[in-house]
Amino acid sequence: MPRLHTIGFAEGAVRDLEELRAWYADRGVPDVGERLVREIVARVEQLAHVPESGRMVPEFAVAWLRELILPPFRIVYRVDDERVRVVRVWRSERLMREP
């Protein structure tokens, strides 16, 4: 039986989801924000079974930093031996850069 990875969210990713939800609420469509957050979380939960399913982040091209595209968002995550940690949830057109 394949090993399951644990899932975690960095503070930045949690903040991204809260800001996404607030952005849609400010525009009078809170249900859209709630739905998108649910879809993102459901997609992330699948990574427990298949952590390598996302592609490598093109800006860095390292195997341990990957992303899922869920238009219009990129879900950027780090893969370790037994853990997946979501780093950021950004609009798809946004490029990552080194800190």
Side-chain angles (χ1 to χ4, degrees), residues 20-63:
L20 183 155
R21 184 181 287 129
W23 190 89
Y24 283 96
D26 288 348
R27 278 140 190 87
V29 287
D31 53 318
V32 173
E34 295 294 331
R35 179 181 52 81
L36 287 170
V37 169
R38 280 194 311 273
E39 288 176 9
I40 290 167
V41 170
R43 193 74 185 274
V44 167
E45 288 174 344
Q46 295 173 356
L47 294 173
H49 301 280
V50 284
E52 306 291 330
S53 63
R55 70 178 186 174
M56 285 191 295
V57 175
E59 295 93 319
F60 297 104
V62 293

Side-chain angles (χ1 to χ4, degrees), residues 3 5 10 18 25 31-32 38 41 43 46 53 59-60 65 69 76 79 82-83 88 93 95 97 99:
R3 174 183 77 215
H5 283 64
E18 290 169 350
D31 53 318
V32 173
R38 280 194 311 273
V41 170
R43 193 74 185 274
Q46 295 173 356
S53 63
E59 295 93 319
F60 297 104
L65 189 63
I69 304 298
V76 180
V79 179
E82 297 179 7
R83 185 170 132 183
R88 299 305 302 250
E93 66 274 5
L95 296 177
R97 58 190 157 96

